[in-house]
Amino acid sequence: MADYSNKLYQQLEQETGIKTGYVKTGSISLAQTQDRLISLKRIASRLSVMGIPCEIMAPKQVAQLHPLINIHDLVGAMYVPEDAVVSSVDVSLALANAASRNGVQIHERTSISHVMIQKGCVTGVETDRGQIECQYFVNCAGQWAYELGLSNEEPVSIPLHGCEHFYLLTRPLKKPLESNTPTIVDPDGRIYIRSWQGGILSGGFEKNPKPIFTEGRNQLEIQNLHEDWDHFEPLLSSLLRRMPGLEALEIMQLVNCPESFTPDMRCILGESPTVQGYFVLAGMNSAGTSFGGGAGRYLAEWMVNGCPSENVWPLDLKRFGALQSSRTFLRHRVMEVMPLIYDLKVPRWDFQTGRQLRTSPLYDRLDAQGARWMEKHGFERPKYFVPPGKDLLSLDQSKTFYKPDWFDIVGSEVKCCKEAVCVIDMSSFTKFEISSTGDQALEVLQYLFSNDLDVPVGHIVHTGMLNEGGGYENDCSIARLNKRSFFMISPTDQQVHCWAWLKKHMPNDSNLLLEDVTWKYTALNLIGPRAVDVLSELSYVPMTPEHFPSLFCKEMSVGYANGIRVMSMTHTGEPGFMLYIPIEYALHVYNELMSVGQKYGIRNAGYYALRSLRIEKFFAFWGQDLDTFTTPLECGREFRVKLDKGTDFIGRDALMQQKQDGVCKRFTMFILEDHDTDLDLWPWWGEPIYRNGHYVGKTTSSAYSYTLERHVCLGFVQNLDKETREALVVTPDFINRGEYEIDIAGQRFQAKAKLYPFSSLFTQRRRKDEMELSGYHGK
Amino acid sequence: MPAPTQLLPLIRNCEIGRIYNTVCCCHHKHLCCLSPHLVHNHLRCAPQKKLATLCPKENFHQFIHARSYVSTPQRFYLTPPQVNSILKANEYSFKVPEFDGKNVSSILGFDSNQLPANAPIEDRRSAATCLQTRGMLLGVFDGHAGCACSQAVSERLFYYIAVSLLPHETLLEIENAVESGRALLPILQWHKHPNDYFSKEASKLYFNSLRTYWQELIDLNTGETTDVKEALINAFKRLDNDISLEAQVGDPNSFLNYLVLRVAFSGATACVAHVDGVDLHIANTGDSRAMLGVQEEDGSWSAVTLSYDHNAQNESEIERVKLEHPKSEEKSVVKQDRLLGLLMPFRAFGDVKFKWSIELQKRVIESGPDQLNDNEYTKFIPPNYHTPPYLTAEPEVIHHKLRPQDKFLVLATDGLWETMHRQDVVRIVGEYLTGVHHQQPIAVGGYKVTLGQMHGLLTERRARISSVFEDQNAATHLIRHAVGNNEFGAVDHERLSKMLSLPEELARMYRDDITIIVVQFNSHIVGAY
């Protein structure tokens, strides 16, 4: 995104003739610690495969590039020579100018009172100078976006919050600083420094940000707030530490310019889930200029083509729901987010503020048993359970790029899942029920989903919800409860997106009912070979595969509680059951499971164990591995697509075409060969994959497989033409005949590529799922 | 002062205590031979001693004891915890107990502390609640020419005041109890730091003098209710009189005899506050000072002085002294801003050298113990000594009715007021007690400020805030500022460390003993009166 911005600004001056202050200065990111250097190396290895030149250098080289810098406390740095600086005001002017030339009208000094909406579509805006009719409306109001979003009759929730942001301007140095002196980013010192009119401009992201306008009484005009030198003192100290020579430099001004921040440090982009034609681009987290160009392009593509040209799910407005809109939540969260911009970003990091918002009824019970929690879409999920008497490192000390301190804990949970039985609370999953008076539900689902849903009652179908391009909008499991109603389970963060997608594509039929039942059920994953025994003891129903084959759903009683939906699937490929329990029974069922399970060695487990299990089984997960540009054919899920199920479905044409042409990328599993789990850096995601020394793609997720005793990375392999960089067809043969390496922070590790999971891992009876899989490939 | 500095390495290297002691002795004898005038010149740069003559410590035993721990290396850098332990060694806090969850007193409590410069320290402090009348007494006492007089005053003065305030019936009751050997009604409840001691040996002597006083009060019974101002003045004068008489009469016990003489020949100033409801009386003798901290409506702090300094800086005091003596002495009675060119405070307890006739002095010294005879200082008669007494212990009493905006009272010896302006004192205490820092935000606004200057300024501002959190005691906080403040009014740790690690011989040249009591008032109760 920043790359496009860079190119755009570079051209802009030529196109419009307006000076944008574009100077190619390059940038140097400094590392004061080894961990920071690792983080920079990771960035560098990603940048270089994107074709952006960058270099990891020793402190001495930094001194050669910048005349003022103190390098004594540095361990290294990253130099990106192509980085540039622009004047944001001039860029805006140039962009406005270019737009006007192409017929865009700009109304200055006009304020919007609200956006007019009819039947869920934007029809125009009401301003203090009258109405303006329009089909599309883009809320780019920056720190005002939140309030503007709420001003409509049908409010649009845009979770962002302003924070004061300070930067310092100085008078020129005695020997004025060259305008092309590289920009310095010193994240450990929390500051950035660039040359500015012969002096410097320096600001930063302090540890104790000052959120403003929580009450919503926002300033009416863009104007700078009061300077607060005492607040700036830590940043000034670190500036003078970095450049001691500046002591005698005279201050010009300390600018306090509010910036808006989002709950997860990523900007907000996309169409409102409730109002058609209402687009948003806001919450740039202080990176407005560098990401603005790219974000603008994606938004334009979205409006014109219906979707952007790349996966923007991490930025999509629909990743948030109304639950992130509380002002208190936003205030607390942005106070964490702003310092985080320069904090070390380590794997498996969780936000600490705005927690314990959505919890399962078992939360307290699990917490008392040592659960450590992570949060997804506001929902608390257990990561792992710390056994009594064992202590983990404190939060700050636990930050590592190497083997984490919970390694053995999760290992024992995985072992228990493999050999006995574990319970994982998975209540956070999004759960919908679709029912109708007639066949409407089946009809619409058949159209929306790629797999055949016309299955006997009680069957569960894994299926993708595809877009026109055949890409995954959602990956879910649907159980047919009866002839006319279906129960749909999707990833946690799909709650808003999936709902909007279904609403958008469902006919406006009063006989068709869609209901969000996420809050109604507590989901327990009873996972492991002894799950059968536990459950049959509690229900007096034979649970053996003969009576309860894989991927079946039955309502039955567990303990005293009746009406528990038991599904024979575990989201991991391990044997076991998912229990969907009406919440009032949750504690009872959990207690029964634990007490009966005792003799089978039952214990609690968390998501880290689940993750290790699913990744070693090569299970892709939507949002991490799968996105809207991935088709089922590209990830080995042809068996979940029924092109000939008798009805058309969204994405069918694209898939037909792809089936004929072949796929250009292929979801592949890599087993790291010469990686030392104890000593080497751990893979995370986004590591470049090299095939025979050439870059072919990036990993999307990774985990340590306790069974294989190796790291497993999942990722996509492309076949890029050496000259044209065009993506060619990737055949299984292409995958199999290659020597692979994974680049972790600049160090390459040999990896073995596999297109199918280790069959040896499936010690249990083969289930329907794999039967189909093997059948399809004639294996 | 060249002599001690040259001697320092010598002292430091001395391993055998005996050699060390002789060295010390020599060096002091040496100093004694210097003429007062010469010494005075040498002292110009340092805070001046109460007495222009340098006198060796009369209590030699105590003197050696005090010295003995100096033989550790003197020049070292103190860490912040070390600095804190020095500053906090003498701190004391008292909170007025609450009844039924409510504090009905107009005083919330007080913080006190002292930092020595002399070895041993010559300042004293006292605090006590009157049990037979209402009210609380607090006082600071600055001794000179030794600590004997200030020690005696700190033990005795509050009893004299309390007795002066007692109604006739209570006095009778007490006298009857003593007469019949019954248990005595307690008169005072002391609030003492463990380091504040009372001399056991003299207690009988002191008690007898006090008893004589109340017997006279019983005989004098006027039937009128006691006026606090009058009671304070009477108590001061009576105590000084008793000190003088005890020295003239002597005591068969040679130790006590020597003690009463030392008390009489040394001196002490006193600044005492009596708080009863909204009535605040300050009785002051000498150059200690009482300062009221007033919070204005806008939250800022202002200082109201509730005592007059009795020294050469006070015009009316010079006037008074001159009027009390013949015109012929006009030039000699106040010389070089000192009484008779010698004494800085113009009023004090003890100091009989400025009160007795020459004959009386000679007689007492000759009949006194040998130690007294050997002492150059006591034998020395002030020049131009024609019409004694030149000195009085009579206090000036100021009455103030407390208002809700009167938040606290600072009583402190001149060691504090020499180093800090009263306005700063009140601001620092006020900000400490309210926990609010009325630091104006800094604005660059057109001035030429460099990054380095700004950085220095900001670091100081931060240090100022952080130093508040180090202290649990307002008096300690004030001492930290008094000793450690740099030119910007912020506590500078390095300076603090240097000042506190000065060898004892040098400490007195850079500062005087500092004693501080900060009394916090209960605005709710004060407002309800």
Side-chain angles (χ1 to χ4, degrees), chain A residues 348 402-404 407 615 669-673 675-678 680-684 702-706 708-714 744 750-752:
Chain A
R348 303 165 298 269
Y402 293 91
K403 183 169 131 178
F407 182 80
I615 288 176
M669 170 170 168
F670 295 94
I671 292 98
L672 295 189
E673 297 282 299
H675 183 270
D676 188 323
T677 308
D678 290 318
D680 286 325
L681 288 171
W682 274 33
W684 183 5
S702 71
Y704 181 79
S705 162
Y706 292 88
L708 299 169
E709 294 178 331
R710 283 267 183 284
H711 259 289
V712 176
C713 300
L714 307 182
I744 305 173
Q750 286 174 22
K752 195 191 270 174

Short mmCIF file of all heavy atoms in Angstrom, two decimals, chain A residues 348 402-404 407 615 669-673 675-678 680-684 702-706 708-714 744 750-752:
data_model
loop_
_atom_site.label_atom_id
_atom_site.label_comp_id
_atom_site.label_asym_id
_atom_site.label_seq_id
_atom_site.Cartn_x
_atom_site.Cartn_y
_atom_site.Cartn_z
N ARG A 348 2.11 -13.84 18.45
CA ARG A 348 1.12 -14.19 19.46
C ARG A 348 0.95 -13.08 20.48
O ARG A 348 0.92 -13.30 21.67
CB ARG A 348 1.52 -15.49 20.18
CG ARG A 348 1.71 -16.66 19.26
CD ARG A 348 2.43 -17.75 19.96
NE ARG A 348 3.75 -17.33 20.36
CZ ARG A 348 4.84 -17.49 19.61
NH1 ARG A 348 4.76 -18.08 18.44
NH2 ARG A 348 6.00 -17.08 20.05
N TYR A 402 11.72 -16.40 19.67
CA TYR A 402 12.23 -17.77 19.78
C TYR A 402 11.17 -18.64 20.45
O TYR A 402 10.01 -18.28 20.55
CB TYR A 402 13.53 -17.78 20.58
CG TYR A 402 14.66 -17.09 19.87
CD1 TYR A 402 14.90 -15.74 20.07
CD2 TYR A 402 15.47 -17.79 18.97
CE1 TYR A 402 15.93 -15.09 19.39
CE2 TYR A 402 16.50 -17.16 18.31
CZ TYR A 402 16.73 -15.80 18.52
OH TYR A 402 17.75 -15.18 17.87
N LYS A 403 11.63 -19.77 20.97
CA LYS A 403 10.72 -20.70 21.62
C LYS A 403 10.05 -20.05 22.83
O LYS A 403 10.73 -19.53 23.71
CB LYS A 403 11.51 -21.93 22.07
CG LYS A 403 10.68 -23.01 22.69
CD LYS A 403 11.50 -24.26 22.85
CE LYS A 403 11.38 -24.82 24.25
NZ LYS A 403 12.13 -26.07 24.39
N PRO A 404 8.73 -20.03 22.87
CA PRO A 404 8.04 -19.37 23.98
C PRO A 404 8.01 -20.23 25.23
O PRO A 404 8.25 -21.44 25.19
CB PRO A 404 6.63 -19.16 23.43
CG PRO A 404 6.45 -20.23 22.42
CD PRO A 404 7.81 -20.58 21.88
N PHE A 407 5.79 -23.56 25.75
CA PHE A 407 6.01 -24.66 24.81
C PHE A 407 5.62 -26.02 25.39
O PHE A 407 4.87 -26.79 24.80
CB PHE A 407 7.47 -24.66 24.38
CG PHE A 407 7.81 -25.72 23.38
CD1 PHE A 407 7.52 -25.53 22.04
CD2 PHE A 407 8.41 -26.90 23.76
CE1 PHE A 407 7.82 -26.51 21.11
CE2 PHE A 407 8.72 -27.88 22.84
CZ PHE A 407 8.43 -27.68 21.50
N ILE A 615 -2.85 -27.34 12.15
CA ILE A 615 -1.83 -27.03 11.15
C ILE A 615 -1.05 -28.28 10.76
O ILE A 615 -0.73 -28.47 9.58
CB ILE A 615 -0.92 -25.88 11.65
CG1 ILE A 615 -1.71 -24.58 11.60
CG2 ILE A 615 0.35 -25.77 10.82
CD1 ILE A 615 -1.01 -23.37 12.14
N MET A 669 1.98 -27.36 2.31
CA MET A 669 2.43 -27.52 3.69
C MET A 669 3.94 -27.75 3.65
O MET A 669 4.43 -28.50 2.81
CB MET A 669 1.71 -28.74 4.26
CG MET A 669 2.18 -29.24 5.57
SD MET A 669 0.93 -30.46 6.08
CE MET A 669 1.73 -31.23 7.43
N PHE A 670 4.64 -27.06 4.52
CA PHE A 670 6.10 -27.20 4.56
C PHE A 670 6.52 -27.71 5.93
O PHE A 670 6.05 -27.21 6.96
CB PHE A 670 6.78 -25.86 4.30
CG PHE A 670 6.52 -25.33 2.91
CD1 PHE A 670 5.47 -24.45 2.68
CD2 PHE A 670 7.30 -25.73 1.85
CE1 PHE A 670 5.22 -23.97 1.41
CE2 PHE A 670 7.06 -25.25 0.57
CZ PHE A 670 6.01 -24.37 0.36
N ILE A 671 7.41 -28.68 5.90
CA ILE A 671 7.97 -29.16 7.16
C ILE A 671 9.42 -28.71 7.20
O ILE A 671 10.21 -29.05 6.31
CB ILE A 671 7.86 -30.69 7.28
CG1 ILE A 671 6.39 -31.09 7.41
CG2 ILE A 671 8.58 -31.20 8.51
CD1 ILE A 671 5.76 -31.52 6.15
N LEU A 672 9.74 -27.90 8.21
CA LEU A 672 11.10 -27.37 8.29
C LEU A 672 12.05 -28.49 8.67
O LEU A 672 11.81 -29.24 9.62
CB LEU A 672 11.17 -26.25 9.31
CG LEU A 672 10.36 -24.99 9.00
CD1 LEU A 672 10.70 -23.89 9.97
CD2 LEU A 672 10.62 -24.52 7.57
N GLU A 673 13.13 -28.61 7.92
CA GLU A 673 14.02 -29.75 8.09
C GLU A 673 15.16 -29.46 9.07
O GLU A 673 15.33 -30.17 10.05
CB GLU A 673 14.61 -30.14 6.73
CG GLU A 673 13.56 -30.59 5.73
CD GLU A 673 13.10 -32.02 6.00
OE1 GLU A 673 13.97 -32.91 5.93
OE2 GLU A 673 11.92 -32.24 6.27
N HIS A 675 15.68 -26.98 11.14
CA HIS A 675 15.32 -25.91 12.07
C HIS A 675 15.42 -26.45 13.49
O HIS A 675 14.85 -27.48 13.82
CB HIS A 675 13.89 -25.45 11.78
CG HIS A 675 13.45 -24.30 12.63
ND1 HIS A 675 12.83 -24.47 13.84
CD2 HIS A 675 13.53 -22.96 12.44
CE1 HIS A 675 12.55 -23.27 14.36
NE2 HIS A 675 12.97 -22.35 13.53
N ASP A 676 16.18 -25.76 14.32
CA ASP A 676 16.31 -26.17 15.72
C ASP A 676 15.30 -25.39 16.56
O ASP A 676 15.41 -24.19 16.73
CB ASP A 676 17.74 -25.88 16.21
CG ASP A 676 17.98 -26.46 17.59
OD1 ASP A 676 17.04 -26.43 18.41
OD2 ASP A 676 19.10 -26.94 17.84
N THR A 677 14.31 -26.11 17.06
CA THR A 677 13.21 -25.46 17.78
C THR A 677 13.70 -24.68 18.98
O THR A 677 13.15 -23.64 19.33
CB THR A 677 12.21 -26.53 18.26
OG1 THR A 677 11.86 -27.31 17.12
CG2 THR A 677 10.97 -25.91 18.84
N ASP A 678 14.74 -25.18 19.62
CA ASP A 678 15.21 -24.52 20.83
C ASP A 678 16.05 -23.28 20.54
O ASP A 678 16.02 -22.32 21.29
CB ASP A 678 16.07 -25.49 21.66
CG ASP A 678 15.21 -26.58 22.26
OD1 ASP A 678 14.10 -26.25 22.73
OD2 ASP A 678 15.63 -27.75 22.23
N ASP A 680 16.70 -21.77 17.08
CA ASP A 680 16.44 -20.91 15.93
C ASP A 680 15.20 -20.06 16.16
O ASP A 680 14.34 -20.36 16.98
CB ASP A 680 16.26 -21.76 14.67
CG ASP A 680 17.58 -22.32 14.18
OD1 ASP A 680 18.60 -21.61 14.32
OD2 ASP A 680 17.59 -23.46 13.70
N LEU A 681 15.14 -18.98 15.38
CA LEU A 681 13.95 -18.15 15.38
C LEU A 681 12.77 -18.98 14.90
O LEU A 681 12.89 -19.77 13.97
CB LEU A 681 14.14 -16.98 14.40
CG LEU A 681 15.10 -15.90 14.84
CD1 LEU A 681 15.33 -14.94 13.68
CD2 LEU A 681 14.54 -15.15 16.02
N TRP A 682 11.63 -18.75 15.52
CA TRP A 682 10.44 -19.48 15.11
C TRP A 682 9.79 -18.80 13.90
O TRP A 682 9.79 -17.57 13.81
CB TRP A 682 9.43 -19.53 16.26
CG TRP A 682 9.65 -20.66 17.20
CD1 TRP A 682 10.84 -21.22 17.54
CD2 TRP A 682 8.65 -21.37 17.92
NE1 TRP A 682 10.63 -22.23 18.44
CE2 TRP A 682 9.29 -22.35 18.69
CE3 TRP A 682 7.25 -21.28 17.99
CZ2 TRP A 682 8.59 -23.22 19.52
CZ3 TRP A 682 6.57 -22.15 18.82
CH2 TRP A 682 7.23 -23.12 19.57
N PRO A 683 9.23 -19.62 13.01
CA PRO A 683 8.42 -18.98 11.95
C PRO A 683 7.14 -18.44 12.56
O PRO A 683 6.73 -18.86 13.62
CB PRO A 683 8.14 -20.14 10.99
CG PRO A 683 8.25 -21.36 11.81
CD PRO A 683 9.24 -21.07 12.90
N TRP A 684 6.53 -17.50 11.86
CA TRP A 684 5.31 -16.87 12.37
C TRP A 684 4.31 -16.94 11.23
O TRP A 684 3.63 -17.93 11.04
CB TRP A 684 5.67 -15.44 12.77
CG TRP A 684 4.62 -14.62 13.38
CD1 TRP A 684 3.35 -15.01 13.74
CD2 TRP A 684 4.74 -13.24 13.76
NE1 TRP A 684 2.70 -13.96 14.30
CE2 TRP A 684 3.50 -12.88 14.33
CE3 TRP A 684 5.76 -12.29 13.67
CZ2 TRP A 684 3.27 -11.57 14.79
CZ3 TRP A 684 5.52 -11.02 14.12
CH2 TRP A 684 4.29 -10.66 14.70
N SER A 702 1.83 -20.88 10.77
CA SER A 702 2.82 -21.87 11.13
C SER A 702 2.58 -22.33 12.56
O SER A 702 1.95 -21.62 13.34
CB SER A 702 4.24 -21.31 11.01
OG SER A 702 4.45 -20.38 12.04
N ALA A 703 3.04 -23.52 12.85
CA ALA A 703 2.92 -24.03 14.21
C ALA A 703 3.93 -25.14 14.39
O ALA A 703 4.40 -25.73 13.41
CB ALA A 703 1.52 -24.55 14.48
N TYR A 704 4.23 -25.39 15.63
CA TYR A 704 5.09 -26.52 15.93
C TYR A 704 4.21 -27.75 16.03
O TYR A 704 3.21 -27.75 16.75
CB TYR A 704 5.84 -26.29 17.24
CG TYR A 704 6.76 -27.43 17.59
CD1 TYR A 704 8.01 -27.53 16.99
CD2 TYR A 704 6.38 -28.40 18.50
CE1 TYR A 704 8.86 -28.57 17.28
CE2 TYR A 704 7.22 -29.45 18.81
CZ TYR A 704 8.46 -29.54 18.19
OH TYR A 704 9.30 -30.57 18.49
N SER A 705 4.57 -28.78 15.28
CA SER A 705 3.83 -30.04 15.37
C SER A 705 4.52 -30.93 16.39
O SER A 705 5.65 -31.35 16.20
CB SER A 705 3.79 -30.72 14.01
OG SER A 705 3.44 -32.08 14.20
N TYR A 706 3.79 -31.17 17.48
CA TYR A 706 4.38 -31.99 18.54
C TYR A 706 4.47 -33.46 18.10
O TYR A 706 5.25 -34.22 18.63
CB TYR A 706 3.56 -31.87 19.82
CG TYR A 706 3.66 -30.49 20.44
CD1 TYR A 706 2.80 -29.47 20.07
CD2 TYR A 706 4.64 -30.21 21.38
CE1 TYR A 706 2.89 -28.21 20.62
CE2 TYR A 706 4.75 -28.95 21.95
CZ TYR A 706 3.87 -27.95 21.56
OH TYR A 706 3.98 -26.70 22.11
N LEU A 708 5.07 -34.47 14.79
CA LEU A 708 6.19 -34.60 13.86
C LEU A 708 7.50 -34.13 14.49
O LEU A 708 8.58 -34.39 13.98
CB LEU A 708 5.93 -33.75 12.61
CG LEU A 708 4.70 -34.10 11.79
CD1 LEU A 708 4.43 -33.01 10.76
CD2 LEU A 708 4.89 -35.43 11.10
N GLU A 709 7.37 -33.42 15.58
CA GLU A 709 8.51 -32.78 16.24
C GLU A 709 9.27 -31.87 15.27
O GLU A 709 10.48 -31.81 15.25
CB GLU A 709 9.44 -33.83 16.87
CG GLU A 709 8.76 -34.55 18.01
CD GLU A 709 9.59 -35.64 18.64
OE1 GLU A 709 10.43 -36.22 17.92
OE2 GLU A 709 9.40 -35.89 19.83
N ARG A 710 8.51 -31.22 14.48
CA ARG A 710 9.03 -30.29 13.49
C ARG A 710 8.10 -29.09 13.41
O ARG A 710 6.93 -29.19 13.77
CB ARG A 710 9.03 -30.96 12.10
CG ARG A 710 10.12 -31.95 11.87
CD ARG A 710 11.31 -31.27 11.21
NE ARG A 710 12.34 -32.23 10.91
CZ ARG A 710 13.16 -32.75 11.82
NH1 ARG A 710 13.02 -32.41 13.08
NH2 ARG A 710 14.07 -33.62 11.48
N HIS A 711 8.62 -28.01 12.88
CA HIS A 711 7.76 -26.88 12.59
C HIS A 711 7.04 -27.11 11.28
O HIS A 711 7.64 -27.59 10.32
CB HIS A 711 8.57 -25.60 12.50
CG HIS A 711 8.46 -24.79 13.75
ND1 HIS A 711 7.33 -24.14 14.11
CD2 HIS A 711 9.35 -24.58 14.73
CE1 HIS A 711 7.51 -23.54 15.25
NE2 HIS A 711 8.73 -23.80 15.67
N VAL A 712 5.77 -26.76 11.24
CA VAL A 712 5.00 -26.86 10.01
C VAL A 712 4.58 -25.45 9.62
O VAL A 712 4.07 -24.69 10.44
CB VAL A 712 3.74 -27.73 10.23
CG1 VAL A 712 2.89 -27.74 8.96
CG2 VAL A 712 4.15 -29.14 10.61
N CYS A 713 4.85 -25.10 8.36
CA CYS A 713 4.39 -23.82 7.84
C CYS A 713 3.40 -24.10 6.72
O CYS A 713 3.61 -25.01 5.93
CB CYS A 713 5.54 -23.00 7.25
SG CYS A 713 6.82 -22.62 8.43
N LEU A 714 2.34 -23.30 6.69
CA LEU A 714 1.41 -23.40 5.57
C LEU A 714 1.59 -22.14 4.74
O LEU A 714 1.81 -21.06 5.28
CB LEU A 714 -0.03 -23.51 6.07
CG LEU A 714 -0.31 -24.61 7.10
CD1 LEU A 714 -1.79 -24.62 7.45
CD2 LEU A 714 0.11 -25.97 6.56
N ILE A 744 13.39 -17.06 7.41
CA ILE A 744 12.94 -16.48 8.68
C ILE A 744 13.95 -15.41 9.08
O ILE A 744 15.09 -15.71 9.42
CB ILE A 744 12.83 -17.54 9.79
CG1 ILE A 744 11.93 -18.69 9.34
CG2 ILE A 744 12.31 -16.91 11.08
CD1 ILE A 744 11.90 -19.86 10.29
N GLN A 750 15.76 -25.20 5.23
CA GLN A 750 15.24 -26.17 4.25
C GLN A 750 13.88 -26.65 4.68
O GLN A 750 13.62 -26.83 5.87
CB GLN A 750 16.18 -27.37 4.13
CG GLN A 750 17.45 -27.04 3.38
CD GLN A 750 18.41 -28.19 3.40
OE1 GLN A 750 17.99 -29.34 3.61
NE2 GLN A 750 19.67 -27.91 3.19
N ALA A 751 13.01 -26.85 3.69
CA ALA A 751 11.67 -27.30 4.00
C ALA A 751 11.21 -28.34 2.99
O ALA A 751 11.59 -28.30 1.82
CB ALA A 751 10.71 -26.11 4.01
N LYS A 752 10.44 -29.28 3.49
CA LYS A 752 9.88 -30.31 2.62
C LYS A 752 8.44 -29.92 2.32
O LYS A 752 7.67 -29.62 3.24
CB LYS A 752 9.92 -31.66 3.32
CG LYS A 752 9.71 -32.83 2.38
CD LYS A 752 9.50 -34.11 3.17
CE LYS A 752 10.83 -34.80 3.44
NZ LYS A 752 10.63 -35.96 4.34
#
